[in-house]
Amino acid sequence: MTFDLLFFTFRVLAVQNTSKILAGFAKFAALIQGMRKKLRVNDISDYQMAVADLRQLDPNMPDLDWAIVSKFRPRLETPAQWQAIRPFVISVVLMTQPRDFNPVRTSMTILTRYIAWVWATTGTELRFEKIFTQRFLDAFVEIGIADRSPAYRFDVYRRIAVLIEKQTDLRLKRIPEPEPSDKMVPYTASEIARFQSWALGQNSDRRRHNAYSILALCGGAGLSAAELIDTRVEHLTNDGVHTTVTVQGKRPRIVPIATAWLPALAKAVDGRLDGYLFHGNRGEEYPPRLVQGYLSEQKWDLRVSAARLRLTWIIQQFEKDLPLAVLKEICGFKNFASVDRYMHLIAARSTGDFFEQVAGSVVAR
């Protein structure tokens, strides 16, 4: 029955008894909705049962995580394509033993797209050692996801490369991490002032600790998300004047935390004597994803970014006229060339303001 016919019938009957028709129409709509709901539940149940035997590949996976895997429906070119690769995709995802919503959903999304592309493009047999190779991974990143950002392609490449290396004896080459986007700019003073209310508004102590740790360490000491993840309460030191953090990871260093961010640090620590500043499941192969996942869940008009907070802190250090050697050390730069990527964000300075220092008339700091 078309919409026009329903409308015409309704109008005719309404002339006779409007109230009765409205009541009958409401019951009819409720009946249809109930039938649809029932069908939807049965459909999902059958859909999940089709892969139920695969759960034994990771029997300890929590029910909520398995529900994400077994209900997952990607947008591929045809339903038949997903039906053909679905068991293989799920078996590969379960190899990684992901936990929690974001890691599970991300693994399903990335591996589905990769496997579907390789299988549809090359017709390769659905076996791990056939699908997951250096050649196919390179082609997928260069062609299959050429429309995505450099950061996304880097992340996908890294995830799949780690998976391949864990499951085989292969050692894959790595692609260089992309430079920070020129579109990223430091936060303004007014934007920074609003972050306290964002952190305070988190709905649990755990989430508040995470929010304040991002502000204090990324905004107050310039740590990256990877460095934040590795930071523990034991890495903080106070000498009675300054509070410092001993940064872990590839660029170990000691950084004083900016005075303006010390209240946020106190709320992040919240009286604890040990433990990680940022809470999360560090079983994932790329722990910084915990920070990104946490921030992606935030529903706020101003997007909070650990990378942008670090960028803001770095630009503040440039504005203090620190010597390049000090900047390199305190910011954790790999080399002096790293300075170039930030030059377009530094306010122009007049050479004339430094003539006396260049001439030696005054002592430079």
Side-chain angles (χ1 to χ4, degrees), residues 6-30:
L6 282 172
F7 180 77
F8 178 77
T9 303
F10 177 78
R11 290 289 294 173
V12 171
L13 294 176
V15 174
Q16 301 177 10
N17 194 328
T18 302
S19 61
K20 290 182 179 180
I21 294 303
L22 287 175
F25 187 82
K27 292 180 180 179
F28 178 75

Side-chain angles (χ1 to χ4, degrees), residues 1 15 17 60 68 90 100 114 120 147 171 183 187 191 210 212 243 279 282 302 306 349:
M1 185 178 289
V15 174
N17 194 328
N60 295 323
I68 297 170
I90 293 176
D100 299 327
Y114 172 76
D147 59 325
R171 286 298 172 262
K183 296 179 181 179
Y187 286 113
E191 288 174 333
N210 285 349
Y212 281 120
T243 299
H279 302 284
R282 285 165 172 77
L302 176 59
R349 306 289 291 275

